[in-house]
Amino acid sequence: MFLIRKPCQIHSNQLCAPDNTMEKEGICKFKQLFSYLGCFLRKFMFSILSVGPIPDHIAFIMDGNRRFAKKRHLLEGDGHKAGYESLISILNYCYQLGVKYITVYAFSIENFKRQPEEVQLLMDLMVEKIEDLLRNGSIVDKYGMRLYFVGNLGLLSSTVRAAAEKAMQATAHNSRAVLLICVAYTSSNEMVHAVNQAIRKNEFDSVEEEHIEKVPMIKINDIKRHMYMSVAPDPDIVIRSSGETRLSNFLLWQTAYSPLYSPTALWPEISIWHLIWVVLDFQRKYAYLQKKRKQP
Amino acid sequence: MLPLRSSVSLEKKLLSFSRNSCPSTITQSLLFPSHGRLVQLKTAVSATGVAHREDDKGVNTGTASTWDLSEPEPLPPGLLRELMPRHVAVVMDGNARWARRRGLPASSGHEAGVQSLRELIELCVKWGIRVLTVFAFSSENWFRPKGEVDFLMGLFERVMESELQNIHRQGVQISTIGDSSKLPKSLQKLLSRAEQYTKDNSQLHMIVAISYSGRSDITQACKRIARKVKDGVICLEDIDEKLIEGELETSFSDFPSPDLLIRTSGELRLSNFLLWQLAYTELFFAQTLWPDFRKTEFVEALHSFQQRQRRYGSRNS
């Protein structure tokens, strides 16, 4: 499995030890060969998958970073860093496969109740990684990715909010791939916001009821239009890592018809095999799911 | 052997004594000579003299028609009473597939599914689950073939007619959620009658979602809020999660959010069922088709629920 776990962007100086003995050179070349073989196998499998329908939008609940750190006897912060590396891998696989929209549940409003040290650690990590994403040659450049930070951004500190807004502005011209990062987000908060906006903007029709008075006629689309997630279609698939089978207030409205998968692997352990298995199952049920979605 | 008239007057004397007492829980022992056994009745008697049944919170729930004549049935091995879900929701999927596998028409599958529901209700009553919500018919199901839809409407009527007494005897209160205006008039009347007839029961609150859509539920809540804003009853700034929750169709329930949702037949979707209410619900997707979902499978779902750590976004200590 490790052969095709990571995308093949390994440079030779990362594989070889500084003192270039014959034996170490051989090992370096062996590792490089494995890496190229892994890349070839991945591209081969993706081209087979591409014969069938590819999901347009996959949503991930990235659960299990802390448990991963505990399992590997790491510091808690290292679990979240490993989680970020895993996210980059998964983004690579998904965009190479042809998925256009990816949504990740990075930080829930409920997560603010955690220990302040952990919250601060996550906020600092977020700022650091946003800066990494905006550097030249990053995955954002590679796939022409547009970034959206979805949630009640007013709950974030000014530093984090500024970093998020800068990232959204810097990538606003991109359109080949879209990454929606749910931060300071819960679905119920999103719906409250949408209802508030719909009523405030007074865009819905009023109809006369029994010729007495005009009654506001909010429709489903009036609410949908004002959701934070209105910039993307509903997810075709939701994947929650670590084996927990619940939505935890994530995209409750948008996932009404989405299949939910919950592999037992912790988020930093999620691999290309989990993605392939999910996509194969999606393809198997595609015709039935499409029929369900087309019903008004 | 005491004549029945004497035992009745003894009961009245005991009750009149308790009426003059402060509100309290009194365990009354009455000897029923016709049965020759002692029956323990637990009652909480208020100052008004009307007997109430105390629920787990110690709040009077106000029914005079149900009495705990026995202790709750012991749970199967491995299940802990303190970890039982209070509210279980079920998506009863797989009837048509069950019938197809047996070379039978879909109607046979739906009829077989009724048996599973009957058993589930009994188990919920016996094991002290407080609320059971069943997804009987979604708003999308109206697009099924007319023959199947008409059969389902007929089946709902037949089952409600035949099972109402049994359900009432078990102390089950029936409520319905969904757009009932689309249902046949006869079924609407029957459901209304069932709700009225069982409204004072408190062993189990069974909510039947019929012609229901989670998105429509949220939308109608928003419509009502918009009206209140228009009428000046509330301001825009008052709109919060609690307000929306209070306007949903499930707001009448003591426990509007399910602790556990079970969907049968291996499908991994919510299918527009109780979207808002399922924010932190544990989801259990069973491979079994609904007509085959019985006590064993329910116990398995409960086992799975009891293993899970529910954190609601925070951390365990």
Side-chain angles (χ1 to χ4, degrees):
Chain A
M1 303 301 173
F2 74 89
L3 289 178
I4 47 177
R5 186 179 173 81
K6 302 290 179 194
C8 47
Q9 287 184 346
I10 303 166
H11 304 290
S12 57
N13 59 358
Q14 291 174 347
L15 296 172
C16 302
D19 53 330
N20 225 347
T21 61
M22 288 284 288
E23 195 180 315
K24 286 184 180 172
E25 208 177 284
I27 292 171
C28 284
K29 285 191 176 157
F30 188 68
K31 283 183 180 174
Q32 216 167 21
L33 182 65
F34 255 58
S35 168
Y36 289 142
L37 186 60
C39 274
F40 171 74
L41 276 173
R42 187 176 71 251
K43 284 180 183 171
F44 176 69
M45 281 200 297
F46 281 0
S47 57
I48 291 175
L49 281 179
S50 301
V51 170
I54 297 295
D56 199 36
H57 183 176
I58 300 181
F60 292 96
I61 301 177
M62 304 185 292
D63 196 14
N65 290 340
R66 189 168 175 264
R67 271 168 281 171
F68 177 82
K70 213 167 172 180
K71 194 170 151 185
R72 299 282 180 100
H73 308 290
L74 304 171
L75 296 172
E76 191 176 305
D78 292 339
H80 293 301
K81 286 177 185 164
Y84 175 77
E85 295 304 322
S86 186
L87 170 63
I88 297 299
S89 292
I90 291 294
L91 290 177
N92 269 294
Y93 298 144
C94 287
Y95 291 133
Q96 285 171 19
L97 186 54
V99 179
K100 181 166 178 185
Y101 297 89
I102 294 172
T103 301
V104 295
Y105 200 9
F107 194 87
S108 156
I109 292 176
E110 302 297 329
N111 293 158
F112 280 114
K113 293 175 189 165
R114 291 183 181 178
Q115 295 294 323
E117 302 79 33
E118 187 184 351
V119 174
Q120 190 57 48
L121 190 144
L122 286 165
M123 293 296 131
D124 291 343
L125 184 67
M126 208 175 310
V127 171
E128 180 193 324
K129 295 308 173 189
I130 289 173
E131 282 168 19
D132 284 350
L133 286 174
L134 294 180
R135 287 205 180 98
N136 287 333
S138 74
I139 191 174
V140 167
D141 274 350
K142 185 178 174 188
Y143 296 106
M145 200 192 296
R146 182 167 186 176
L147 295 178
Y148 285 100
F149 285 84
V150 168
N152 191 344
L153 302 186
L155 295 176
L156 298 170
S157 68
S158 51
T159 319
V160 181
R161 194 165 64 247
E165 278 162 8
K166 180 183 165 193
M168 286 195 279
Q169 245 175 354
T171 60
H173 59 279
N174 292 340
S175 60
R176 277 170 37 212
V178 181
L179 175 63
L180 301 107
I181 302 166
C182 292
V183 61
Y185 173 91
T186 57
S187 195
S188 38
N189 179 266
E190 179 186 27
M191 285 190 264
V192 166
H193 167 84
V195 167
N196 194 298
Q197 290 296 300
I199 297 173
R200 187 188 296 273
K201 293 189 179 172
N202 203 23
E203 288 170 351
F204 44 86
D205 296 325
S206 295
V207 296
E208 281 188 12
E209 196 167 86
E210 297 176 347
H211 306 290
I212 298 170
E213 59 173 309
K214 287 202 169 178
V215 175
M217 280 298 294
I218 289 191
K219 297 191 197 62
I220 285 178
N221 282 337
D222 294 319
I223 297 170
K224 201 172 171 179
R225 199 165 44 234
H226 292 291
M227 295 276 193
Y228 296 135
M229 288 291 297
S230 62
V231 294
D234 292 341
D236 295 297
I237 292 173
V238 179
I239 300 174
R240 179 174 185 144
S241 56
S242 86
E244 304 285 0
T245 324
R246 54 178 181 263
L247 285 173
S248 296
N249 216 337
F250 179 58
L251 304 185
L252 300 175
W253 176 281
Q254 295 82 354
T255 56
Y257 303 102
S258 311
L260 313 170
Y261 296 91
S262 48
T264 52
L266 303 173
W267 177 249
E269 296 168 344
I270 284 288
S271 74
I272 191 171
W273 294 108
H274 299 106
L275 182 67
I276 288 171
W277 180 79
V278 164
V279 171
L280 280 173
D281 197 59
F282 166 81
Q283 291 182 337
R284 197 167 59 88
K285 296 172 180 167
Y286 181 74
Y288 179 74
L289 290 172
Q290 285 299 103
K291 191 173 86 171
K292 286 288 167 189
R293 278 180 191 263
K294 278 179 183 151
Q295 288 166 5
Chain B
M1 211 159 70
L2 291 172
L4 189 59
R5 197 177 297 166
S6 302
S7 66
V8 167
S9 61
L10 174 63
E11 182 187 338
K12 276 185 181 169
K13 279 180 186 168
L14 283 168
L15 280 174
S16 66
F17 168 77
S18 61
R19 259 185 217 122
N20 297 325
S21 316
C22 298
S24 62
T25 305
I26 301 169
T27 302
Q28 302 178 1
S29 302
L30 297 178
L31 186 66
F32 287 92
S34 57
H35 297 290
R37 62 183 173 94
L38 197 68
V39 174
Q40 302 276 349
L41 293 175
K42 284 187 184 173
T43 61
V45 182
S46 72
T48 61
V50 178
H52 297 268
R53 176 175 173 268
E54 285 188 1
D55 69 3
D56 293 342
K57 298 180 210 175
V59 174
N60 292 331
T61 52
T63 174
S65 64
T66 54
W67 300 83
D68 274 333
L69 293 182
S70 61
E71 292 296 318
E73 183 172 295
L75 295 174
L79 287 181
L80 300 172
R81 192 163 291 284
E82 59 269 23
L83 295 180
M84 287 293 281
R86 291 172 307 184
H87 181 170
V88 174
V90 182
V91 182
M92 304 180 291
D93 197 14
N95 292 338
R97 256 168 289 176
W98 184 92
R100 234 181 354 257
R101 284 184 191 173
R102 286 156 178 78
L104 299 168
S107 51
S108 303
H110 294 304
E111 278 173 356
V114 172
Q115 303 299 329
S116 295
L117 179 59
R118 195 179 283 130
E119 187 170 329
L120 182 67
I121 293 169
E122 280 173 18
L123 291 172
C124 288
V125 170
K126 281 179 188 167
W127 294 343
I129 288 168
R130 304 303 306 278
V131 184
L132 172 67
T133 303
V134 296
F135 201 11
F137 196 85
S138 86
S139 54
E140 283 80 20
N141 292 155
W142 290 111
F143 298 98
R144 287 190 179 181
K146 189 176 183 307
E148 189 180 350
V149 171
D150 289 343
F151 172 81
L152 282 168
M153 293 298 126
L155 181 66
F156 292 149
E157 272 194 63
R158 280 198 308 279
V159 168
M160 193 56 73
E161 287 274 17
S162 62
E163 296 294 328
L164 185 57
Q165 284 304 326
N166 184 31
I167 285 172
H168 177 64
R169 246 194 322 271
Q170 294 183 71
V172 178
Q173 179 191 354
I174 296 176
S175 299
T176 56
I177 56 174
D179 183 6
S180 57
S181 65
K182 289 185 176 179
L183 301 174
K185 287 272 182 281
S186 53
L187 182 55
Q188 286 184 43
K189 280 191 186 139
L190 181 56
L191 289 172
S192 183
R193 187 161 62 87
E195 285 184 67
Q196 193 59 29
Y197 187 55
T198 60
K199 69 179 170 59
D200 292 327
N201 293 342
S202 61
Q203 282 286 93
L204 170 72
H205 190 178
M206 186 168 88
I207 302 173
V208 182
I210 187 164
S211 185
Y212 179 85
S213 151
R215 286 182 177 174
S216 299
D217 192 2
I218 296 167
T219 307
Q220 68 78 30
C222 298
K223 219 186 287 190
R224 283 147 72 129
I225 291 171
R227 186 163 188 175
K228 285 183 178 177
V229 170
K230 182 185 173 297
D231 293 343
V233 176
I234 55 169
C235 311
L236 273 174
E237 290 70 32
D238 294 332
I239 300 175
D240 60 12
E241 291 174 30
K242 218 168 181 147
L243 191 72
I244 294 180
E245 225 162 76
E247 298 290 346
L248 293 172
E249 291 194 63
T250 48
S251 60
F252 55 74
S253 171
D254 288 336
F255 308 105
S257 297
D259 298 300
L260 170 65
L261 176 126
I262 300 169
R263 180 171 184 149
T264 52
S265 86
E267 298 293 339
L268 305 173
R269 306 184 298 281
L270 300 179
S271 294
N272 202 6
F273 180 47
L274 291 181
L275 301 180
W276 177 287
Q277 296 87 336
L278 294 179
Y280 295 100
T281 303
E282 296 292 335
L283 310 173
F284 183 84
F285 297 110
Q287 289 296 319
T288 323
L289 301 176
W290 177 246
D292 293 328
F293 189 86
R294 297 305 167 99
K295 183 177 176 179
T296 309
E297 289 76 20
F298 188 39
V299 169
E300 189 189 334
L302 291 172
H303 262 298
S304 173
F305 172 79
Q306 295 199 351
Q307 302 301 320
R308 299 185 190 189
Q309 288 189 325
R310 307 185 76 191
R311 300 189 297 268
Y312 301 94
S314 55
R315 288 278 185 221
N316 288 336
S317 55

